Amino acid sequence: MTSSAEVFALPPHLSFKSDPELVGADAEQFAAVAEALALQKGELAARLDELRLTEGGAGQQALDRDTEIHRLSRQLRGLERFGVDACLGRMTPADGSPDVYVGRFGLADEAGRRLLIDWRVPAAEPFFAATHANPLGLASRRRYRWNVERVVDYWDEVFVPGDLVGRVALDDQSSFIASLGSARSGEMRDVLGTIQADQDAIIRAPSRGALVVDGGPGTGKTVVALHRTAFLLYSDPRFKQGRGGVLFVGPSRPYLNYVANVLPSLGEDSVQLCTLRDLLPEGADAREETDASVARLKSSLDLVRAVGKAVRYHQRPPRAPFSVTTTDSQELTLDARDWAEAFVAYEPGLTHNEAREQVWEEVLRLLVDKRSPQASEHAVRASLVRDERLRAAFAKAWPLLDPASVIADLWSVPAYLQWCAPELSAEQVRALQRADARSWTVSDLPLIDAARRLTGDPNEFRQRARRAEALVSQQEHMSHVVDNLIEGDDDGEGVVTMLRVEDAQHSLIDEDSLPPVDFDELAGPFAHVVIDEAQELTDAEWAMLLARCPSRSFTVVGDRAQARHGFRETWEERLRGIGLPKVEVAQLTINYRTPEEVMAEAAPVILAALPDANVPVSVRSSGLPVVHGSVADLQQVLDVWLDENLEGIACVITAVGGGSGGGDGPSGVEFDNRGRVRSLTPETAKGLEFDLVVLVDPEQFGTGIEGAVDRYVAMTRATQRLVVLTTD
């Protein structure tokens, strides 16, 4: 029997919770969990070693072996992330049946006894969803707080009065409330054990259509989105990696770095995390659009639709007859009707560059059919393929397109833009022109993406062409080899003769030696897309994401009151307007992060600009009033806080912002070189949280709704203390 002292490391003020009568059964359970984990890890490691020493083979055999190695490696990584701290808590059923322990994953011992049930299975739902009004069959629930495989606190909730003396430690959930105010780090805290009933209901909601998770600061929107992602991957076979997978879109790279470890800690490492910039290579260096009127024009679906017309402009069949002379002196002519026929001879749904190959083949066929009866079809076709005039005429009529070049032409050729978007005024056309057409802005990205989907990726197209050429070359070589082997076969029978079979010859092709084709993993399609801070997306940006999710299965996370450019519609109106007809909205109204002292100052800021803002109610107090002072005090504020707090992260939020760590801060302030102080703008701080937040001249954040939103967002990043400094 394991001693409770080996697992429970409660601080002195919680020593009453260390009573063996309260934690003895848990200690025994944890010992069994540790033993089962060690056994499973050992078995998985041994199996992996065995597979890696096995000959890989070829074809399907090699694929099956590699797939099994990947599966077992992923399973082992999941187990190695946790020890006994994989246990989230226990449920005590009201009917007197044995306690049920809920874990990050399911686990059984050698005898098949269930030690942990996976938090995502239906049987675990009461652990998160039970309330005093609806206990869901529970007498009590216990949640653990872990630190390096040691329980440093736990709290019990009793739902049904009964004989629970000696089994529960009642403290009115003070442990839970205290945990909300614990020091922050550079990564999002592990909160699976503290998921609340309102959050759990959203996590387990059906995945058909769009589900909007609407909530103010600190309500756990991001937590819900991440855990919902893990839940859907586990429970819905449509979302497995091999069938489309899940895309998670966040507002910024610092935000993604902050939440990056959450999904792996939940056993899911196949989700693609990105920002909108990451969806295109041009996004890496794209700057912000400085002209607000230009940004508005580019954000509309009108210009997205104009991109389609811009691509079709390059699919114009010649109207004049075209003649070509073959090597055997035949003159073959394509008239306007022939060209028109060829230019519609491609499969529906192909991109411009894909369709180009089929149209070219149709051009060749039409010309070959005009040859004299005595001429060889193969010889005529070969002659046409080599004809530079014909190739040049076709390239002019249906060129290979680069999507970025299509958009660059719109910003540099006014007549082209006017033809593609006739609804634009002459003044608007002039405003969209620029000297360096390829100096990309963030507002250009949805338009480049639309062009890319219509033209196809030219690099991928060229790679496929090179691979096809190499494959033909190998097939021709293999055919010659087979012919030579058969010529040397004395009786013309047996294994050598079987090589004439086409499938046998294909099996001899060395596909590993063929040029590779790089696939864009972020191009989709995805079975489900999760979007955080979705209130900021423009119509054009929504089009980027809709194109990646044909199923229209979305989790949309946001807060209308945090939309920098205003959000007057309802969520239903907004999403139906951009093409999501089936919309459900779930609201979160409890602020678990921001103390009431901070919210008391932050709420009036946003309500003055947006009277219907969904301002959440804080559930805790930090006991630290908001401090106001002079910008000249910034260095002192930081120094004192760093001296008094050995853990935690501070953030200085200014209109300009700075780096992510040490170095010079605003006005030459020297930041802590241990990386415990950040310098951000309100926009880049969105979605993050810090123990101390220092606002520097918040009135400089802007005016109107944008300024009010930025101040509200910046203030509500604080989990402990807020300091507001202004210039004297």
Side-chain angles (χ1 to χ4, degrees):
M1 174 177 171
T2 300
S3 168
S4 59
E6 295 179 16
V7 181
F8 288 83
L10 303 173
H13 71 280
L14 296 176
S15 59
F16 72 97
K17 290 186 172 184
S18 300
D19 189 327
E21 288 191 19
L22 292 173
V23 300
D26 287 350
E28 289 185 9
Q29 186 77 4
F30 297 152
V33 167
E35 183 179 347
L37 277 174
L39 181 63
Q40 285 199 17
K41 291 175 186 177
E43 290 176 346
L44 284 171
R47 177 61 180 144
L48 277 169
D49 290 341
E50 180 184 340
L51 279 172
R52 287 167 178 151
L53 292 173
T54 303
E55 288 293 334
Q60 188 63 42
Q61 180 184 357
L63 178 62
D64 291 343
R65 171 183 172 272
D66 291 345
T67 300
E68 182 66 2
I69 287 177
H70 176 76
R71 185 186 70 82
L72 294 176
S73 297
R74 184 167 175 266
Q75 189 176 348
L76 183 58
R77 285 197 306 271
L79 292 179
E80 287 178 338
R81 284 181 175 274
F82 296 96
V84 293
D85 51 350
C87 182
L88 304 172
R90 79 178 191 205
M91 299 182 288
T92 300
D95 62 7
S97 54
D99 291 342
V100 177
Y101 287 80
V102 178
R104 296 175 179 277
F105 43 77
L107 184 69
D109 61 16
E110 283 189 285
R113 179 171 68 96
R114 181 59 57 183
L115 300 175
L116 298 175
I117 63 170
D118 192 294
W119 68 275
R120 291 165 288 196
V121 302
E125 186 172 355
F127 179 75
F128 303 98
T131 63
H132 290 279
N134 184 14
L136 298 176
L138 298 189
S140 68
R141 167 175 59 201
R142 172 171 292 183
R143 300 176 189 259
Y144 306 109
R145 187 177 177 196
W146 295 91
N147 184 16
V148 193
E149 296 197 63
R150 294 292 182 270
V151 177
V152 295
D153 204 350
Y154 67 87
W155 62 97
D156 289 326
E157 298 165 86
V158 175
F159 301 109
V160 179
D163 186 16
L164 294 172
V165 176
R167 299 207 62 201
V168 296
L170 301 179
D171 60 358
D172 298 324
Q173 294 195 61
S174 60
S175 305
F176 168 59
I177 299 299
S179 73
L180 300 175
S182 59
R184 265 49 183 177
S185 67
E187 295 181 345
M188 176 174 276
R189 291 184 308 118
D190 185 345
V191 296
L192 179 55
T194 61
I195 294 293
Q196 299 299 288
D198 58 338
Q199 298 170 332
D200 185 68
I202 299 172
I203 290 169
R204 298 175 189 270
S207 58
R208 305 288 178 177
L211 174 67
V212 177
V213 184
D214 176 77
T219 55
K221 300 185 298 298
T222 298
V223 166
V224 167
L226 291 165
H227 288 74
R228 175 170 167 77
T229 301
F231 176 79
L232 292 177
L233 282 165
Y234 177 87
S235 62
D236 195 324
R238 294 180 300 143
F239 300 155
K240 296 301 181 185
Q241 188 176 13
R243 302 182 63 184
V246 175
L247 178 69
F248 190 102
V249 182
S252 67
R253 182 49 54 181
Y255 165 90
L256 291 182
N257 294 337
Y258 180 60
V259 305
N261 196 49
V262 174
L263 283 168
S265 76
L266 298 173
E268 300 296 345
D269 55 9
S270 64
V271 178
Q272 296 282 353
L273 274 68
C274 73
T275 67
L276 286 172
R277 286 176 176 269
D278 298 330
L279 295 176
L280 292 171
E282 292 82 2
D285 300 318
R287 56 185 173 81
E288 293 295 327
E289 193 76 61
T290 56
D291 189 324
S293 63
V294 169
R296 281 194 297 273
L297 285 173
K298 293 180 180 180
S299 71
S300 73
L301 291 179
D302 290 337
L303 269 184
V304 174
R305 286 188 282 266
V307 173
K309 197 170 181 180
V311 172
R312 291 192 296 275
Y313 176 84
H314 297 282
Q315 301 172 357
R316 296 185 298 174
R319 295 182 179 179
F322 181 88
S323 297
V324 57
T325 303
T326 66
T327 53
D328 60 354
S329 300
Q330 291 188 78
E331 185 174 282
L332 308 176
T333 302
L334 287 175
D335 59 25
R337 187 165 53 184
D338 292 327
W339 282 113
E341 180 183 343
F343 271 48
V344 295
Y346 59 89
E347 298 174 23
L350 294 182
T351 66
H352 170 92
N353 291 336
E354 290 171 332
R356 185 178 188 270
E357 289 303 294
Q358 294 188 6
V359 173
W360 170 244
E361 288 297 323
E362 183 65 11
V363 167
L364 295 176
R365 187 193 67 79
L366 288 170
L367 285 169
V368 168
D369 286 351
K370 295 175 183 286
R371 75 189 188 282
S372 65
Q374 297 80 19
S376 163
E377 177 180 347
H378 177 75
V380 171
R381 190 182 190 284
S383 175
L384 294 172
V385 168
R386 292 192 299 269
D387 191 283
E388 293 298 331
R389 286 183 59 254
L390 176 61
R391 296 181 72 90
F394 179 72
K396 182 178 180 181
W398 194 301
L400 183 66
L401 291 182
D402 170 65
S405 296
V406 172
I407 305 306
D409 287 347
L410 291 175
W411 306 156
S412 57
V413 184
Y416 180 47
L417 175 58
Q418 189 72 77
W419 184 85
C420 296
E423 70 278 2
L424 293 178
S425 67
E427 182 181 356
Q428 289 172 326
V429 169
R430 284 194 298 271
L432 288 166
Q433 303 299 296
R434 61 184 183 223
D436 183 357
R438 289 179 175 269
S439 179
W440 303 119
T441 69
V442 174
S443 299
D444 292 325
L445 299 182
L447 303 174
I448 298 174
D449 188 69
R452 189 184 180 96
R453 294 201 167 270
L454 293 170
T455 65
D457 182 350
N459 291 327
E460 182 180 326
F461 176 82
R462 295 186 184 99
Q463 289 173 349
R464 287 183 181 278
R466 286 195 295 269
R467 185 177 177 89
E469 290 173 4
L471 179 60
V472 169
S473 177
Q474 276 206 38
Q475 288 171 338
E476 290 178 350
H477 174 71
M478 189 57 61
S479 179
H480 290 313
V481 170
V482 170
D483 288 343
N484 291 335
L485 287 172
I486 291 175
E487 285 180 11
D489 186 14
D490 294 336
D491 58 8
E493 297 180 358
V495 174
V496 175
T497 306
M498 290 175 63
L499 292 174
R500 284 200 184 277
V501 179
E502 185 177 359
D503 287 345
Q505 293 185 26
H506 279 299
S507 69
L508 299 175
I509 298 295
D510 181 11
E511 296 203 9
D512 291 338
S513 68
L514 298 177
V517 177
D518 297 326
F519 295 98
D520 183 358
E521 293 183 339
L522 296 178
F526 292 93
H528 189 78
V529 174
V530 183
I531 310 163
D532 208 347
E533 303 295 348
Q535 73 276 355
E536 302 291 3
L537 296 186
T538 66
D539 288 358
E541 288 169 339
W542 267 111
M544 295 177 74
L545 300 174
L546 289 171
R548 286 165 170 77
C549 189
S551 68
R552 297 297 188 261
S553 179
F554 283 84
T555 299
V556 179
V557 183
D559 179 11
R560 293 169 57 248
Q562 294 186 57
R564 300 181 74 240
H565 303 294
F567 198 127
R568 296 296 184 185
E569 309 160 283
T570 65
W571 277 109
E572 291 91 342
E573 292 168 341
R574 176 79 182 99
L575 297 187
R576 286 169 186 157
I578 54 92
L580 286 174
K582 185 178 179 182
V583 180
E584 293 186 14
V585 179
Q587 283 200 327
L588 295 170
T589 59
I590 301 173
N591 190 334
Y592 298 101
R593 178 184 68 212
T594 315
E596 57 186 16
E597 293 87 350
V598 173
M599 285 305 298
E601 292 218 13
V605 170
I606 196 63
L607 289 173
L610 298 169
D612 64 340
N614 178 18
V615 177
V617 178
S618 295
V619 297
R620 67 183 184 89
S621 168
S622 67
L624 302 172
V626 176
V627 174
H628 293 263
S630 169
V631 171
D633 300 330
L634 176 57
Q635 186 71 69
Q636 181 182 3
V637 169
L638 295 175
D639 290 343
V640 169
W641 184 83
L642 289 167
D643 289 341
E644 293 179 350
N645 297 271
L646 301 180
E647 295 181 333
I649 303 290
C651 185
V652 178
I653 302 181
T654 67
V656 178
S660 61
D664 290 338
S667 304
V669 174
E670 182 66 22
F671 281 0
D672 167 57
N673 60 10
R674 291 166 292 175
R676 293 181 56 213
V677 179
R678 309 283 192 266
S679 176
L680 301 171
T681 65
E683 192 171 4
T684 55
K686 184 171 285 188
L688 307 179
E689 54 186 34
F690 307 95
D691 300 272
L692 167 69
V693 169
V694 182
L695 267 58
V696 176
D697 282 328
E699 293 307 314
Q700 293 184 6
F701 291 177
T703 59
I705 290 179
E706 184 172 322
V709 167
D710 281 354
R711 285 187 286 277
Y712 179 61
V713 167
M715 297 171 79
T716 55
R717 300 308 93 198
T719 65
Q720 291 291 331
R721 181 184 289 275
L722 174 64
V723 176
V724 181
L725 303 179
T726 55
T727 302
D728 294 333

